[in-house]
Amino acid sequence: QVPLVESGGGSVETGGSLRLSCASSLMPATYCMGWFRQAAGKEREGVATISTGGTTPFYADSAKGRFTISRDNAKNTVYLQMDSLKPEDTGTYYCAARSPCGGSWWLRHPDDSNYWGQGTQVTVSA
């Protein structure tokens, strides 16, 4: 069973919005959740992470003010609301889980995740 399954990717124009979802089969009280992305020819980078209770989010500078991470532990789902999208946001977006939580450190060390989803493509056209 795949523990993390993303959905919600697609193609939008600059300035548009998308909402990504990540359905998890992991125990929400154990794992912090995060969103990472990888553009073609580039390394995977952190976008946002959130604590087990959903009260403490961390954002990469590129996401601050435009993206919002949230989680609904009753549904065991994590969301990434992306507004004011730019062409440089294009890439494959991955949901990840980590225990113990890594906060902003985890954003800079994506390889230290415990679980990964299969990814969902986001394309922003100019």
Side-chain angles (χ1 to χ4, degrees), residues 84-108:
S84 303
L85 283 162
K86 306 174 182 179
E88 51 264 44
D89 294 318
T90 294
T92 303
Y93 282 69
Y94 297 90
C95 177
R98 189 180 191 276
S99 179
C101 292
S104 59
W105 179 91
W106 184 23
L107 282 174
R108 303 187 300 274

Side-chain angles (χ1 to χ4, degrees), residues 20-106:
L20 306 183
S21 299
C22 173
S24 171
S25 62
L26 303 172
M27 292 187 64
T30 300
Y31 290 92
C32 282
M33 302 298 294
W35 286 97
F36 298 79
R37 68 186 182 189
Q38 187 167 21
K42 294 187 177 181
E43 293 186 353
R44 194 172 299 190
E45 63 177 6
V47 177
T49 66
I50 192 165
S51 58
T52 54
T55 57
T56 308
F58 292 93
Y59 295 95
D61 288 344
S62 59
K64 289 178 181 176
R66 299 188 300 126
F67 295 1
T68 303
I69 188 171
S70 62
R71 65 190 298 170
D72 184 338
N73 285 346
K75 296 181 179 179
N76 215 357
T77 301
V78 180
Y79 305 97
L80 185 67
Q81 177 67 42
M82 303 187 295
D83 299 316
S84 303
L85 283 162
K86 306 174 182 179
E88 51 264 44
D89 294 318
T90 294
T92 303
Y93 282 69
Y94 297 90
C95 177
R98 189 180 191 276
S99 179
C101 292
S104 59
W105 179 91
W106 184 23

